Amino acid sequence: MLKHTSKLIATVTTATLLSSCGSESSTRTIEYSGLNQALSQVITLVVEPAATNFLNQTRQLDSLSNAFCSTTTEPNLLAVQNQWKATAKSWYELLPYNFGPMINDEVLPEYIFIDSLRLRGTNYTQTVRNDIDSMLAASNALTDTTFRNKNFQFVGLLATELAVFERASDHDKEIGNILSDFTTQSRKCQILQGYTGQLVARAENISNGWSSNYQNTGSSYRNLLLSGGLSQIAGEDSSSTSAKLITSTNEYMDYVHKRTIVNDVAVVSGYTWNLMLAGLESFERMVEGSAAGTTESFANILEKNAANDLTVIRNNIATTKTAISEQNATNFYAATLALDGNIKRELKDGLGIDVGLNFSDGD
């Protein structure tokens, strides 16, 4: 555990707010030294690298898909399947941080073209299957434009998963039968390549936004966020870095348990629980700090100023990991519900973070 002697700084403000049902609650905002440094390191050592890794994994998926379509062998198909898993894992490492370049458009945000389930928890498996059947039966050319113009529910990780993990005609998952789909129908490869090409395009938009050019400003979202420069962009959410991290990770845990996503995510590939672990471990890295380069972390600040809160958070992370290892959905949902509450109370209050008037402290 990192040890620092930073001391609590100044000011405590108390505000009494009247809720819509007539009750009152007190919000105490305390600024702890080291918090800005910890926030900067979460962004630069956890969140932005997750966006970069997702881009790298999608590029590798696209490359392996092209290689497979040039030489349609079983080993090459298995390589594509394994890379899909690596790509989906990298997405779940990024998904808890669903803000900024992930939501570059209020109407059609980037993330929904990658993960259609995340929008409303709607499972579009049959919708995608029907679309694949229609494309296989048609004779029109399948081009980049075909896939770029598709609505969000017809592309992304789910569509790619269905293309490579099952036979279109009967959804059989035996590798030889999936391979025959590609060897007997050239359009199946065009479909796969269309899907992976769009994943790369979306991942590039997210990664480039984080690292180099957000909303055509010529500045990276990372720099704009950490410098307070987002307030200069018309219509941009200019809430603080701390508020964005608390709100987005809270929304992620809320999504996980309310949408009962283990019934819908990566079911065909059999990779559901691996993705649940990836999302949890990414959240844990936000709390504890990345192994590489962290000199200040949320955990370090909590240990000095709210040690009991840190213990509660760590215990519930451990409980969630146990539920994942046991593949126990009931316990998993209960544990992520507990973490949802921990983010809104122990983590937010223990770090002295103010997330604004619209944030609910209840479960």
Side-chain angles (χ1 to χ4, degrees):
M1 179 62 59
L2 298 170
K3 297 292 182 185
H4 295 273
T5 56
S6 350
K7 294 181 181 178
L8 173 67
I9 350 183
T11 92
V12 176
T13 58
T14 302
T16 302
L17 307 173
L18 187 64
S19 74
S20 58
C21 59
S23 63
E24 294 182 345
S25 63
S26 295
T27 301
R28 187 179 63 176
T29 302
I30 307 173
E31 182 183 356
Y32 292 106
S33 71
L35 180 58
N36 286 338
Q37 183 183 3
L39 288 167
S40 177
Q41 292 185 7
V42 167
I43 295 300
T44 58
L45 299 178
V46 179
V47 183
E48 186 180 359
T52 302
N53 185 45
F54 178 59
L55 172 58
N56 291 338
Q57 297 301 332
T58 60
R59 285 175 170 167
Q60 180 67 359
L61 177 62
D62 188 53
S63 175
L64 289 173
S65 296
N66 291 335
F68 165 65
C69 287
S70 296
T71 309
T72 50
T73 63
E74 185 174 313
N76 283 351
L77 176 56
L78 287 170
V80 175
Q81 289 183 338
N82 288 333
Q83 185 55 36
W84 181 91
K85 292 177 178 179
T87 304
K89 179 176 181 289
S90 69
W91 173 247
Y92 265 78
E93 291 169 345
L94 177 60
L95 191 55
Y97 315 107
N98 196 22
F99 58 88
M102 300 271 278
I103 309 179
N104 61 341
D105 187 292
E106 289 186 4
V107 178
L108 295 171
E110 205 74 67
Y111 76 90
I112 67 175
F113 291 90
I114 297 166
D115 187 348
S116 57
L117 187 73
R118 180 62 183 87
L119 180 62
R120 301 185 190 93
T122 302
N123 187 332
Y124 290 105
T125 297
Q126 194 55 51
T127 301
V128 174
R129 284 171 172 165
N130 292 342
D131 191 48
I132 290 174
D133 290 342
S134 296
M135 287 189 286
L136 288 173
S139 58
N140 60 300
L142 296 172
T143 66
D144 287 343
T145 303
T146 303
F147 294 91
R148 186 166 56 249
N149 291 341
K150 282 186 178 290
N151 289 335
F152 72 92
Q153 62 265 47
F154 297 107
V155 291
L157 287 168
L158 171 62
T160 312
E161 177 188 16
L162 297 179
V164 299
F165 282 98
E166 67 177 27
R167 181 166 60 183
S169 60
D170 59 1
H171 317 136
D172 187 274
K173 292 188 282 188
E174 197 277 320
I175 191 70
N177 291 334
I178 301 169
L179 182 63
S180 70
D181 242 8
F182 289 95
T183 57
T184 60
Q185 302 179 94
S186 61
R187 291 174 70 84
K188 185 73 181 286
C189 255
Q190 294 173 39
I191 291 168
L192 171 60
Q193 291 169 310
Y195 289 155
T196 60
Q198 284 307 299
L199 278 173
V200 171
R202 300 294 175 176
E204 285 177 343
N205 291 342
I206 293 170
S207 181
N208 291 341
W210 268 107
S211 302
S212 58
N213 184 19
Y214 178 65
Q215 300 286 50
N216 297 316
T217 60
S219 298
S220 69
Y221 184 79
R222 177 222 319 121
N223 288 344
L224 291 167
L225 175 65
L226 295 176
S227 68
L230 290 172
S231 61
Q232 305 303 311
I233 303 175
E236 182 65 34
D237 172 16
S238 59
S239 59
S240 67
T241 305
S242 57
K244 284 183 169 64
L245 287 170
I246 291 294
T247 301
S248 66
T249 52
N250 164 238
E251 288 174 346
Y252 173 77
M253 292 298 174
D254 192 62
Y255 161 70
V256 166
H257 74 78
K258 281 187 177 177
R259 299 299 187 180
T260 59
I261 66 172
V262 297
N263 301 318
D264 299 306
V265 171
V267 174
V268 174
S269 59
Y271 207 58
T272 306
W273 291 104
N274 305 75
L275 301 187
M276 299 306 98
L277 182 61
L280 177 67
E281 289 182 337
S282 184
F283 169 72
E284 185 177 28
R285 284 191 290 276
M286 184 192 80
V287 174
E288 299 288 351
S290 171
T294 299
T295 56
E296 184 65 282
S297 69
F298 290 169
N300 187 49
I301 296 169
L302 288 167
E303 188 172 48
K304 290 179 293 185
N305 302 298
N308 289 339
D309 289 343
L310 178 60
T311 298
V312 169
I313 294 167
R314 283 174 168 168
N315 286 345
N316 282 331
I317 288 174
T319 299
T320 310
K321 285 184 177 180
T322 298
I324 291 172
S325 68
E326 295 173 349
Q327 299 189 9
N328 186 314
T330 300
N331 290 348
F332 174 70
Y333 293 138
T336 50
L337 172 61
L339 283 174
D340 181 5
N342 294 155
I343 294 167
K344 291 184 283 191
R345 294 186 303 269
E346 285 82 6
L347 186 61
K348 176 178 73 70
D349 296 341
L351 294 173
I353 292 173
D354 178 9
V355 297
L357 300 179
N358 294 325
F359 191 81
S360 169
D361 290 324
D363 287 330

